[in-house]
Amino acid sequence: MKPHVTAAVIGCLMLAAAPVYALNVGDPFPDFTVANTLSPEHSTYLQVPYQGSIQLSKIPYEVIIVEFLNVYCHTCRMQVSIFNELKQAIERDADLRGKVCLLGLAVGNSLDEINTFVSEFGVQYPVLSDADKALFNATGNTRGTPHTYVIRRGELGFIVDYHAGGVSSADRYLDSIRHTLRGSLTGSSPGNILVPLTFKAGGQPVSTAGLGGRRFILYFPSSQARALENDLRTMALQMEALKNIALKNDLSIYVFPPPGSDCAACGVPEPLACARKADPSIREALAVGDQPLVVCVNEYGRIVYRAETLSQLAAERMYEGQEYKPKPQLTPEQIQELIRRSIAALGHQAAEIEHLVLENRQDLYVITAAPQGSGVFYFARVESGITMCDVCHDTHFVYVFDQNGIVVDFIPLEITKYGNVAWDEADIAKMKKNLAGRSLFEPFSFNPAVDAVTTATMSSSLIYEAMNRAREYFKDFYEYRFRESHWQGLCFSVICKLKSLAAGAAAREPGFVLDDASLQKLMSAAGLTGCPTGGMYIVLDGDLLCSQHGLNMQGCAP
């Protein structure tokens, strides 16, 4: 029996050669004009005349999401439900509706192929033909489909977000859209207009909407005890810092006591004002969790800072007109050179270092070991942490890990200890010994008495906190053969479940035959989504194989 393989199984098509460079975030997206082959409904959706032609720059939306797809690309087909969900979410959101639209461009496909694709997969957004691949080739990103660009409309239409490949949720692009439009949206993130809040402070009603023209800070302390001295997350220390910030910068600061506490228990010093009996919905509106929160709002009513703490140094920079984001003084090129040296010390040469922004918007360097095609990759993450101590500097470092998620190196960029003295070689060696050989997917428990560098307990704890965040950052990452055996094991587990279901069906139904149609029914009935990395399951001589992980040669447990 020959395997049943359709064009969808082939995967995403590899298309024509790229121009001199590939477009990325910050570049203007090429304007184009194509024939309007859309239905009246989709023409109305894009707000363009029916028939005639469509020019990208004439589509009157603030943000346009352009997806390059191919109707035979398996990943593109899987993305249809996600983009349908994205379109529906935009239409439900009063802040986004009328400002954002979706447009598909089918690379190398005819109108007939597009119509079949739209009908078969229930595509709800407009799809135009790029039959000669001219539009796709103009981007320079021609290594298969899908490719998605988020474009902020303007004189040139700049790319504000770009993603190659599929995504697992519409939230990936909803977050990007809201970030792009944040200056015109109310919300709780930096760049948003602060949601209107009302409360009482100093015996007087306060409305944040009535504070227009004045800068102010909202502070939500936590009652959680802190083990480390000088931890700015401690309520008393943060309020003392805020007191100095208020006196120096002539701004209002409002303190919201933790749940179960009150103004008297908090001991709020002047000139800070305590919000008495504030409505719990305020905490909900600002997404206040268990940790402390400081929110700074400028004279235009926009949030300019949101973090667990605010040091006097950060406040000085912010109120000098700079948006405060912790970042190392070294350039990306200098950091990459340090990474190259790290890889060389491990016995490999870096053939290429690529900067990625993952679906969850986390940054990552991917290092391809020489020679190209060796299949050996390393990964590096730059961490920049806001100081939790009002007399300390921010902490910046790089950790390097291998394809199994094992830490192999620690590279300090800017880390200081007591007196803001840079770490010496012994300090660096101790932290490297602490971290190297440990899995990112195991907890990094911090014991100050054992793990801290001498007179650097705060910066040491920040490093451990960053390492503990790695589990969440990289739990869904599988490209570049990362955790290959882990993902293969999950894939084969699904295959074993399907084979068991097929055996049960064959026992119940004498005429049962395992083929593509019955396989899909089994998966749907059992609620199985298939290979976790997007591979296709193929029926081969009564067995199942995955287009990415192959046959399960180890078999299934009885």
Side-chain angles (χ1 to χ4, degrees):
M1 176 180 175
K2 293 183 178 179
H4 179 73
V5 183
T6 65
V9 177
I10 297 173
C12 302
L13 302 182
M14 302 307 291
L15 301 168
V20 175
Y21 68 94
L23 297 179
N24 212 324
V25 173
D27 292 325
F29 192 87
D31 195 14
F32 61 78
T33 301
V34 295
N36 184 358
T37 57
L38 301 175
S39 66
E41 177 187 2
H42 280 159
S43 296
T44 300
Y45 168 73
L46 288 181
Q47 301 183 40
V48 297
Y50 176 51
Q51 299 180 330
S53 61
I54 294 177
Q55 185 174 354
L56 180 68
S57 59
K58 296 299 174 63
I59 297 175
Y61 284 84
E62 292 184 43
V63 174
I64 303 172
I65 300 174
V66 175
E67 181 200 23
F68 284 99
L69 58 97
N70 183 279
V71 302
Y72 301 111
C73 163
H74 170 60
T75 303
C76 301
R77 292 179 168 190
M78 293 178 64
Q79 293 299 287
V80 169
S81 61
I82 291 173
F83 275 82
N84 283 346
E85 179 187 343
L86 175 61
K87 180 174 181 289
Q88 294 165 10
I90 291 168
E91 291 172 349
R92 288 193 303 266
D93 192 317
D95 285 330
L96 302 182
R97 187 170 56 246
K99 296 180 180 179
V100 185
C101 70
L102 279 67
L103 174 62
L105 295 173
V107 182
N109 298 130
S110 67
L111 182 57
D112 286 342
E113 289 175 309
I114 292 171
N115 289 337
T116 300
F117 171 70
V118 168
S119 175
E120 183 177 351
F121 292 93
V123 182
Q124 298 175 8
Y125 45 93
V127 180
L128 292 167
S129 175
D130 181 25
D132 61 1
K133 309 174 187 173
L135 305 181
F136 186 64
N137 290 342
T139 70
N141 292 305
T142 57
R143 298 174 64 182
T145 54
H147 288 267
T148 305
Y149 297 85
V150 180
I151 304 164
R152 182 67 188 264
R153 188 171 169 271
E155 183 179 352
L156 292 175
F158 282 95
I159 300 167
V160 295
D161 193 11
Y162 163 68
H163 182 73
V167 298
S168 58
S169 166
D171 290 341
R172 163 65 175 80
Y173 293 116
L174 285 171
D175 290 345
S176 176
I177 294 164
R178 292 192 177 102
H179 182 76
T180 299
L181 294 174
R182 63 192 184 279
S184 59
L185 301 179
T186 58
S188 59
S189 299
N192 285 154
I193 299 170
L194 179 70
V195 293
L197 305 173
T198 57
F199 51 90
K200 285 188 176 181
Q204 299 295 322
V206 177
S207 169
T208 56
L211 295 175
R214 283 187 57 81
R215 301 175 299 185
F216 59 94
I217 293 175
L218 308 176
Y219 172 47
F220 298 84
S222 167
S223 56
Q224 181 178 336
R226 304 291 170 180
L228 302 181
E229 187 180 359
N230 295 327
D231 191 329
L232 205 52
R233 290 171 294 187
T234 303
M235 190 189 321
L237 291 178
Q238 180 64 88
M239 286 199 293
E240 183 64 25
L242 291 174
K243 171 185 171 181
N244 295 331
I245 291 168
L247 292 171
K248 186 171 183 178
N249 294 282
D250 185 30
L251 48 80
S252 300
I253 299 180
Y254 302 100
V255 180
F256 294 77
S261 185
D262 56 29
C263 293
C266 289
V268 179
E270 294 185 352
L272 279 59
C274 186
R276 298 180 181 275
K277 298 181 180 179
D279 192 316
S281 64
I282 291 178
R283 301 180 72 89
E284 183 179 343
L286 290 174
V288 182
D290 296 333
Q291 298 301 316
L293 176 65
V294 181
V295 176
C296 302
V297 182
N298 67 12
E299 58 267 39
Y300 306 104
R302 285 181 169 79
I303 298 172
V304 293
Y305 180 93
R306 177 191 173 101
E308 292 183 1
T309 63
L310 176 65
S311 68
Q312 294 186 59
L313 175 61
E316 287 174 11
R317 293 179 182 175
M318 181 167 52
Y319 292 121
E320 286 172 359
Q322 303 175 26
E323 180 181 7
Y324 187 72
K325 292 183 179 179
K327 58 182 180 180
Q329 296 182 24
L330 296 181
T331 66
E333 292 75 20
Q334 290 171 321
I335 292 173
Q336 289 187 40
E337 179 57 32
L338 292 176
I339 294 171
R340 286 184 186 277
R341 295 177 189 174
S342 171
I343 300 302
L346 295 169
H348 292 277
Q349 296 300 314
E352 180 182 11
I353 299 181
E354 179 181 2
H355 176 249
L356 296 185
V357 179
L358 305 183
E359 183 180 335
N360 58 9
R361 306 190 70 83
Q362 298 301 323
D363 290 86
L364 180 68
Y365 284 110
V366 177
I367 304 98
T368 303
Q372 290 274 16
S374 66
V376 176
F377 300 96
Y378 287 93
F379 308 89
R381 162 85 178 175
V382 179
E383 280 287 350
S384 293
I386 295 176
T387 178
M388 297 298 175
C389 163
D390 204 39
V391 295
C392 306
H393 290 170
D394 293 336
T395 297
H396 308 278
F397 68 96
V398 177
Y399 59 90
V400 184
F401 52 102
D402 66 15
Q403 288 168 255
N404 294 313
I406 303 300
V407 179
V408 295
D409 201 6
F410 165 79
I411 308 171
L413 301 179
E414 298 166 35
I415 308 179
T416 58
K417 51 188 176 181
Y418 182 77
N420 285 318
V421 175
W423 280 20
D424 58 28
E425 290 300 322
D427 299 330
I428 297 167
K430 175 171 182 174
M431 187 57 64
K432 189 176 297 189
K433 182 180 179 181
N434 287 356
L435 303 181
R438 299 176 65 172
S439 170
L440 296 179
F441 299 94
E442 298 294 335
F444 282 74
S445 300
F446 180 66
N447 181 344
V450 177
D451 301 316
V453 167
T454 304
T455 71
T457 303
M458 187 61 64
S459 53
S460 298
S461 71
L462 284 175
I463 292 169
Y464 272 71
E465 287 182 14
M467 300 307 298
N468 276 312
R469 291 193 293 267
R471 292 194 300 278
E472 185 66 25
Y473 291 163
F474 305 121
K475 67 179 182 181
D476 298 322
F477 183 56
Y478 58 82
E479 298 176 90
Y480 299 91
R481 303 181 68 177
F482 184 61
R483 291 210 295 167
E484 191 171 39
S485 60
H486 167 78
W487 296 113
Q488 184 185 64
L490 292 179
C491 174
F492 287 167
S493 175
V494 176
I495 286 178
C496 288
K497 290 178 183 178
L498 287 170
K499 290 172 72 172
S500 176
L501 291 170
R508 293 188 305 271
E509 307 168 29
F512 177 83
V513 176
L514 182 61
D515 56 20
D516 286 350
S518 61
L519 176 63
Q520 292 302 318
K521 289 180 181 178
L522 289 173
M523 291 178 66
S524 177
L528 298 174
T529 55
C531 173
T533 62
M536 281 285 290
Y537 290 154
I538 304 166
V539 180
L540 176 64
D541 293 333
D543 204 347
L544 288 177
L545 64 83
C546 174
S547 62
Q548 289 192 9
H549 298 114
L551 280 169
N552 180 8
M553 304 302 293
Q554 298 177 353
C556 301

